[in-house]
Amino acid sequence: QLSAEYNMIVANITTPANFFHLLRRQVTWGFRKPCVVMSPKSLLRTVISPLKDFTHGKFKELIEDDYAKPYNKVEKVLMCTGKVYFDLLEKQEQDKRKDVAIIRIEQLHPFPENQLEKVLAKYKNMKKLIWVQEEPVNMGYWTFLLRTYYKRKDLEIVARKPSASPATGFPKMHKEEQQKIVNAAFNR
């Protein structure tokens, strides 16, 4: 809600290498702009990037799906950010779903609309475009996405039901709700 007119960078990074490149980009820019990273610390403890990802490449504002190929077989595209990606990836690989692609949005503001449209254009047979978030539907990035990416009228949402609290407070219930979100994303 505080970001507008390109006044800051807001990111939710899923790999250590991309986090490194984001920080490197911040330092090498010829201007200064605040960068807010929403990634949980747990990802930095559990996710590993190969050394070559640190030494080559640059910051990726979004990361395409490497698993769901060829592109013409994909009928559903799931977009997400943050650690929910790893739950979706596990389900995709477990069920061998080559008909569902998962795109990670690593930079939320400024939203990488042009890059996303180029990636979506590859999926000629896409029938559904779904935003998946683990937060309740009245929280998280959904309302921001509606304001920012409003031209996509076919965008749907899979999230927890509206709530006054961001989490249940019970790990077992959270895990069950997370599994429901993942299943709904693939079965909708």
Side-chain angles (χ1 to χ4, degrees), residues 68-81:
K69 289 187 179 170
Y71 296 117
N72 63 349
K73 299 261 187 197
V74 173
E75 295 183 359
K76 184 187 301 184
V77 175
L78 305 177
M79 295 189 317
C80 65
T81 190

Side-chain angles (χ1 to χ4, degrees), residues 14-117:
T14 57
T15 72
N18 213 29
F19 190 39
F20 168 77
H21 288 297
L22 171 69
L23 294 175
R24 202 176 101 207
R25 182 182 77 172
Q26 283 297 113
V27 172
T28 59
W29 269 345
F31 53 89
R32 293 291 166 245
K33 184 180 293 209
C35 180
V36 179
V37 179
M38 309 297 258
S39 304
K41 291 180 294 196
S42 62
L43 280 183
L44 295 175
R45 285 187 229 121
T46 57
V47 180
I48 299 169
S49 293
L51 185 59
K52 69 174 179 55
D53 289 356
F54 288 93
T55 58
H56 296 89
K58 61 180 186 156
F59 175 65
K60 297 176 184 173
E61 295 174 347
L62 64 83
I63 300 176
E64 290 185 55
D65 191 323
D66 288 332
Y67 184 79
K69 289 187 179 170
Y71 296 117
N72 63 349
K73 299 261 187 197
V74 173
E75 295 183 359
K76 184 187 301 184
V77 175
L78 305 177
M79 295 189 317
C80 65
T81 190
K83 70 180 190 170
V84 72
Y85 163 75
F86 295 99
D87 295 325
L88 295 170
L89 177 65
E90 183 180 337
K91 174 81 169 162
Q92 181 190 39
E93 291 177 346
Q94 177 185 354
D95 294 352
K96 297 178 175 46
R97 296 289 301 266
K98 301 274 189 180
D99 63 323
V100 179
I102 306 169
I103 298 173
R104 290 179 270 177
I105 308 297
E106 299 278 292
Q107 177 178 294
L108 293 145
H109 189 272
F111 191 74
E113 187 174 344
N114 293 335
Q115 294 96 311
L116 181 58
E117 285 301 317

Side-chain angles (χ1 to χ4, degrees), residues 158-177:
V158 169
R160 286 180 166 76
K161 65 181 176 49
S163 175
S165 173
T168 64
F170 299 103
K172 183 179 177 185
M173 189 176 281
H174 172 79
K175 194 172 183 175
E176 288 174 9
E177 288 179 351

